């Protein structure tokens, strides 16, 4: 019985960590609209793209060319393999 309860707790804790990117993006979008923010974009990008942006800005050569992403990280999804970037228009 303890093992069943423990496994149920672990599964319930891991579900939000594996949230769909579109679900997280829509939740963030709803919060921004509720605050009255009108001109912005939300973009879903792989974590490697976000990590490469500071290296590209400093002039360091990256091992693999990645699209530099500018903006503020406002969320992550799919097991923290992707991030949601907020950019003001």
């Amino acid at each position: 019985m303890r093992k069943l309860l423990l496994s149920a707790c672990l599964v319930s804790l891991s579900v939000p960590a594996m949230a769909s990117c579109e679900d997280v993006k829509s939740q963030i979008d709803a919060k921004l609209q509720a605050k009255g923010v009108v001109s912005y974009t939300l973009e879903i990008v792989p974590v490697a793209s976000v990590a490469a942006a500071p290296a590209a800005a400093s002039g360091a050569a990256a091992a693999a060319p990645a699209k530099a992403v500018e903006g503020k990280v406002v969320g992550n999804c799919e097991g923290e393999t992707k991030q949601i970037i907020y950019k003001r228009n």
Side-chain angles (χ1 to χ4, degrees), residues 15-40:
V15 170
M18 296 299 286
S20 164
C21 286
E22 290 301 321
D23 291 340
V24 175
K25 183 178 174 182
S26 65
Q27 290 173 359
I28 293 170
D29 187 40
K31 289 179 183 179
L32 289 171
Q33 289 179 1
K35 290 183 178 184
V37 180
V38 290
S39 181
Y40 64 90

Side-chain angles (χ1 to χ4, degrees), residues 9-21 24 27 75-83:
C9 288
L10 291 176
V11 168
S12 67
L13 290 175
S14 67
V15 170
M18 296 299 286
S20 164
C21 286
V24 175
Q27 290 173 359
N76 56 45
C77 52
E78 293 186 12
E80 297 187 12
T81 60
K82 295 185 180 178
Q83 293 180 329

Side-chain angles (χ1 to χ4, degrees), residues 55-74:
S58 66
K67 177 184 168 189
V69 178
E70 294 181 10
K72 181 179 179 183
V73 177
V74 293

